Amino acid sequence: MASTILHFFFFFFLCSLSTITAMKQTYIIHMNPNAKPQTFSTHHDWYISNLQSSSSLLYTYTTALHGFSASLTQEEVSTLRQSPSVIDIYEDTLYQLHTTHSPEFLGLDMEFGLWDGHNTLDLDQASHDVVIGVLDTGVWPESRSFDDTGMPDIPSKWRGECEHSRDFSVKLCNNKLIGARSFSKGYHMSTSAGFSTQIASPRDNDGHGTHTASTAAGAHVRNASFLGYASGTARGMATHARLAAYKVCWETGCFGSDILAGIDRAIVDGVDVLSLSLGGGTAPYYRDTIAIGAFTAMEKGVFVSCSAGNSGPTKASLANVAPWIMTVGAGTLDRDFPAYVMLGSKKKFTGVSLYSGHGMGNKSVGLIYNKGGNSSSSMCLPGSLDPRTVRGKIVVCDRGINARVEKGSVVRDAGGVGMILANTAASGEELVADSHLLPAVAVGKKVGDLIREYAAKSVKPTALISFGGTILDVKPSPVVAAFSSRGPNMVTPQILKPDLIGPGVNILAAWSEGVGPTGLESDTRKTNFNIISGTSMSCPHISGVAALLKAAHPHWSPSAIKSALMTTAYTHDNTRSPLKDAGTGGLSNPLAHGSGHVDPHKALNPGLIYDISTAQYIQFLCSLGYSLDQVQAIVKRPNITCSRKFTDPGELNYPSFSIVFNNNKRVVRYTRILTNVGAPHSTYHVSVTGPSKVNISVKPKMLTFRSLGEKKRYTVTFVAKKGVKQSARSEFGSIVWKNAEHEVKSPVAFAWTRIMD
């Protein structure tokens, strides 16, 4: 009887605890720091005084934001909103990760030549003072990519540290990996993670963070490969730069309160570049945790690079679109991993695969495609396949909904011996290789349709899968990845996004030994390197190249570095044809590739730059129709009046143009300022291209710079012609300032509606 009563009260306690927990939610509270009463010695003490319990406090923010995050009830939130010291309160946001040969593809294995009288060795030495902070899933410190051989002592400016935990010793850090911290309070406070067993530690048991960190600044590792694929020397973009890992992402995602704490700490620690391969949907900048934190980073001289998202080829699918953030899309390399399908009809098709186990031999087996009325079986969703019909056969699975590698696992569990992963219209002809647990090949939509038709119409369809290893010099390349998120920028249509693209498909980099290469629980394989794809992979490429520019030009602002990367990007592939789009099969455009594909060599010496000051960013924010409190939430200055603001957000001195016409506006005029960072006594002439329905004029048509650092203005006027039918489609052009040494190119997008395609 006593035992029954005890169990009843224990059950009642758990229910009560669950009810209390459900009533609370994590919020970020932005405070006016100047409103702190003198009776409190610190802002931390003042923030606690606003809470019913100090245990509700998660983080105190001092740099990226003035305020705190806490677990609060709706009643507590309502009370806080009544305080004049509170600028704004918003719910914690859950962000998601945007889940080697690439340095050679970018030309980083070659001599850089001279820049300002220096050579490659000087650049390597200067890189020792640059620190890249990576906000991700942590780091696997034992990886050879973080070896510090030859690295000098840690820069004296560094204020960071390595965090000790049960599975992470401070001794694992070195002169390469100089910082490792974790931020998990927001994650642990979430109801879905309330009983998580994950340790609050910088150690990466996901693999994503190790991959991105080593891509940005990993050391040279000879004889690297992924299970025999892509063998060679693996290295990051800035091999001599330092790394600091900030673990803000956990098994359910990345919480805004943890991200903000990571950015806050990274700025104080002294990073020069922040790399965030994560994001969510779009929101006004004053509600965007990453945008708010990145603004302070930019103001402190920190370059911020973020992934654009993996929601392409859907238009208007971008994340991280604030103009002070470098928004990075993804393209392919000139390397591939071919695999082949031979049908019983003797037709042979080529796809891609990273399967590394035993092959299928030379004997064809039955082929099945469970289209019928069961869409879940055609997608190979968990539990959808009937072992009686699948056993011993190759299964055709439509791409979409669940993870590509999970589809292979579903087929294997149902007794299948192979899989053909066939694209649908959503992913077009894009091919992404995966390390499947059974023989598998990914094919494009056109080939997929032919295989599906054969499987459906043949009386006894059969197939055989074989594998071709690694091939180089693939043409055309780069090609914009179908998954790479697309513009336009729905928060500010007058700012063209993404900014550029970098390598993001089938990227080899270091991996965590705490997880198999597919990330599936059933995958018990261990590997030091992995090949994965996503804008998560392209982002650290740009972060690493930005670190090289920071080393070469330590006094350049983040906007100057961004301009150099954008205006020197290229828009033709290795066949000298315009960039193509894997999502459409046709030509790409600036809504997919931004300014183009990054070119590190040219970015080191761009000739001219479009620089932007903090004051100009504030004028931009004031032009968006935000209230003063909303602007202050981003810039963290109490004296903002918005007395000076742009009449049009597109007046920002941005390196690209997005022209939005409507029924009441057929003339758009912008003035830009160019700063000479090249040789003195330089003269540039302008050339323009654009659609026939728009007249474009630039004044003046020639700019002469007498000295280094000199600034010159030009005004460009765009006039939509009368009598021309408005188009629902976007059109494109360019403005190029050039001389014998430099081409400073800006893409232009034109829209007659809010949605461009």
Side-chain angles (χ1 to χ4, degrees):
M1 181 68 180
S3 175
T4 302
I5 295 173
L6 182 61
H7 279 101
F8 171 81
F9 278 107
F10 180 70
F11 176 78
F12 178 79
F13 169 77
L14 287 178
C15 291
S16 301
L17 181 62
S18 298
T19 303
I20 294 170
T21 303
M23 291 171 59
K24 288 200 169 190
Q25 191 172 341
T26 300
Y27 294 86
I28 297 173
I29 299 89
H30 182 211
M31 303 287 285
N32 178 357
N34 298 313
K36 179 180 75 67
Q38 294 183 351
T39 52
F40 295 100
S41 59
T42 67
H43 283 86
H44 178 81
D45 293 339
W46 176 41
Y47 298 155
I48 289 178
S49 73
N50 286 275
L51 301 174
Q52 293 182 8
S53 170
S54 61
S55 63
S56 298
L57 183 71
L58 302 184
Y59 298 106
T60 295
Y61 306 115
T62 60
T63 306
L65 180 106
H66 294 304
F68 61 96
S69 56
S71 179
L72 305 171
T73 64
Q74 282 292 336
E75 183 180 356
E76 290 172 310
V77 171
S78 299
T79 301
L80 279 171
R81 287 193 188 278
Q82 297 173 17
S83 170
S85 302
V86 175
I87 295 176
D88 200 3
I89 301 176
Y90 40 96
E91 295 179 7
D92 202 0
T93 304
L94 181 63
Y95 296 85
Q96 297 295 333
L97 296 165
H98 289 152
T99 289
T100 211
H101 176 67
S102 52
E104 182 180 346
F105 182 69
L106 295 176
L108 293 178
D109 61 331
M110 301 163 57
E111 286 292 315
F112 272 95
L114 297 178
W115 100 93
D116 292 345
H118 300 283
N119 57 29
T120 301
L121 181 60
D122 296 326
L123 181 60
D124 291 343
Q125 293 296 323
S127 297
H128 290 148
D129 291 329
V130 179
V131 183
I132 303 174
V134 180
L135 273 69
D136 213 294
T137 63
V139 66
W140 192 266
E142 295 87 352
S143 170
R144 290 179 292 164
S145 292
F146 308 124
D147 179 60
D148 67 347
T149 300
M151 295 286 288
D153 291 341
I154 296 171
S156 58
K157 69 172 186 177
W158 181 244
R159 296 178 294 277
E161 64 180 33
C162 281
E163 175 184 308
H164 176 77
S165 65
R166 199 167 72 205
D167 64 352
F168 198 102
S169 168
V170 295
K171 295 180 181 179
L172 292 171
C173 287
N174 54 30
N175 288 342
K176 178 67 172 178
L177 180 63
I178 64 174
R181 299 179 186 268
S182 68
F183 302 87
S184 61
K185 293 178 181 178
Y187 159 70
H188 282 293
M189 192 57 68
S190 69
T191 54
S192 61
F195 297 97
S196 171
T197 57
Q198 277 202 286
I199 301 171
S201 159
R203 182 167 290 281
D204 179 16
N205 288 305
D206 177 273
H208 192 276
T210 299
H211 198 280
T212 55
S214 62
T215 298
H220 289 84
V221 180
R222 297 183 183 277
N223 301 316
S225 73
F226 169 62
L227 302 176
Y229 287 99
S231 59
T233 297
R235 53 156 289 183
M237 301 298 100
T239 56
H240 295 269
R242 320 285 183 150
L243 279 167
Y246 298 85
K247 185 173 180 177
V248 298
C249 298
W250 306 85
E251 58 188 359
T252 55
C254 324
F255 285 85
S257 55
D258 295 331
I259 295 170
L260 197 57
I263 295 175
D264 197 71
R265 188 67 249 179
I267 295 171
V268 174
D269 285 349
V271 302
D272 300 288
V273 175
L274 273 175
S275 188
L276 291 83
S277 291
L278 50 92
T282 56
Y285 301 130
Y286 58 85
R287 290 282 184 179
D288 186 334
T289 304
I290 295 175
I292 291 171
F295 189 94
T296 302
M298 172 276 301
E299 192 173 13
K300 301 288 186 182
V302 179
F303 179 90
V304 182
S305 174
C306 293
S307 48
N310 296 341
S311 299
T314 304
K315 61 187 177 184
S317 55
L318 292 164
N320 302 315
V321 297
W324 49 89
I325 290 173
M326 176 64 91
T327 310
V328 185
T332 64
L333 294 171
D334 62 345
R335 177 182 67 196
D336 217 341
F337 309 101
Y340 310 100
V341 179
M342 176 66 79
L343 300 181
S345 61
K346 302 304 181 184
K347 289 184 178 180
K348 187 176 183 179
F349 301 107
T350 300
V352 296
S353 181
L354 290 170
Y355 175 70
S356 60
H358 295 293
M360 295 186 63
N362 299 317
K363 186 178 180 181
S364 296
V365 299
L367 179 70
I368 185 170
Y369 176 58
N370 286 354
K371 182 65 176 176
N374 188 349
S375 61
S376 64
S377 63
S378 69
M379 287 283 187
C380 299
L381 301 181
S384 66
L385 299 181
D386 185 351
R388 292 171 297 180
T389 58
V390 167
R391 187 173 291 110
K393 295 187 175 77
I394 293 174
V395 181
V396 181
C397 298
D398 291 341
R399 182 173 168 182
I401 300 183
N402 59 331
R404 300 183 301 271
V405 291
E406 184 183 53
K407 294 176 187 291
S409 179
V410 170
V411 172
R412 188 185 69 165
D413 292 346
V417 297
M419 177 182 71
I420 299 172
L421 180 62
N423 284 3
T424 61
S427 45
E429 299 307 309
E430 174 188 64
L431 298 179
V432 178
D434 294 297
S435 56
H436 293 283
L437 295 172
L438 82 172
V441 55
V443 298
K445 180 183 182 299
K446 293 177 182 177
V447 170
D449 287 345
L450 293 173
I451 295 174
R452 281 183 279 251
E453 183 180 14
Y454 166 75
K457 293 184 177 180
S458 178
V459 177
K460 289 185 178 181
T462 61
L464 177 66
I465 299 174
S466 58
F467 305 94
T470 304
I471 61 171
L472 300 176
D473 197 28
V474 173
K475 295 179 180 180
S477 63
V479 174
V480 179
F483 61 72
S484 188
S485 289
R486 313 303 167 96
N489 177 352
M490 296 307 293
V491 181
T492 317
Q494 298 86 350
I495 301 296
L496 180 60
K497 292 282 184 170
D499 290 313
L500 47 58
I501 62 172
V505 179
N506 298 333
I507 303 301
L508 175 75
W511 194 247
S512 166
E513 293 183 33
V515 64
T518 64
L520 298 173
E521 288 187 14
S522 57
D523 189 354
T524 59
R525 296 173 296 176
K526 302 298 179 187
T527 178
N528 294 321
F529 292 88
N530 199 4
I531 296 174
I532 56 177
S533 302
T535 54
S536 279
M537 283 62 256
S538 54
C539 171
H541 278 88
I542 304 306
S543 304
V545 175
L548 293 175
L549 266 65
K550 182 71 175 178
H553 307 285
H555 301 297
W556 278 12
S557 69
S559 296
I561 294 174
K562 182 177 186 179
S563 173
L565 291 166
M566 290 174 64
T567 60
T568 59
Y570 60 85
T571 54
H572 286 73
D573 59 32
N574 57 1
T575 69
R576 299 185 179 180
S577 301
L579 293 177
K580 295 180 175 60
D581 185 341
T584 64
L587 296 180
S588 179
N589 63 58
L591 294 183
H593 63 240
S595 295
H597 192 285
V598 65
D599 187 330
H601 281 265
K602 289 185 177 179
L604 274 170
N605 186 17
L608 305 173
I609 57 169
Y610 294 87
D611 209 354
I612 306 175
S613 67
T614 301
Q616 290 170 323
Y617 279 124
I618 294 174
Q619 288 179 266
F620 163 81
L621 290 168
C622 289
S623 72
L624 299 180
Y626 294 171
S627 69
L628 288 180
D629 282 347
Q630 290 166 344
V631 174
Q632 288 171 8
I634 302 166
V635 304
K636 305 143 196 103
R637 297 183 184 182
N639 57 348
I640 297 297
T641 64
C642 283
S643 58
R644 296 186 61 188
K645 62 182 179 181
F646 299 138
T647 56
D648 179 337
E651 292 178 22
L652 185 69
N653 199 43
Y654 212 67
S656 59
F657 295 82
S658 179
I659 311 304
V660 182
F661 297 118
N662 56 46
N663 292 332
N664 302 317
K665 187 175 184 179
R666 28 183 310 271
V667 179
V668 176
R669 182 176 291 111
Y670 292 140
T671 295
R672 292 287 199 263
I673 301 173
L674 282 165
T675 302
N676 181 33
V677 295
H681 307 292
S682 298
T683 297
Y684 292 79
H685 294 85
V686 72
S687 65
V688 301
T689 62
S692 59
K693 62 183 70 174
V694 180
N695 286 326
I696 307 172
S697 62
V698 179
K699 294 182 180 180
K701 296 182 181 301
M702 181 180 75
L703 296 175
T704 298
F705 298 87
R706 295 181 176 84
S707 60
L708 178 67
E710 185 178 0
K711 298 178 184 295
K712 292 283 186 178
R713 294 174 179 266
Y714 72 90
T715 299
V716 56
T717 303
F718 306 93
V719 182
K721 293 180 181 179
K722 290 183 178 180
V724 176
K725 185 178 180 181
Q726 291 187 2
S727 173
R729 298 182 62 84
S730 59
E731 302 211 24
F732 307 95
S734 64
I735 297 174
V736 186
W737 291 93
K738 56 186 175 181
N739 59 19
E741 290 78 33
H742 303 287
E743 281 196 7
V744 184
K745 185 175 182 179
S746 296
V748 185
F750 299 90
W752 285 260
T753 61
R754 282 293 297 266
I755 298 289
M756 297 182 282
D757 55 32

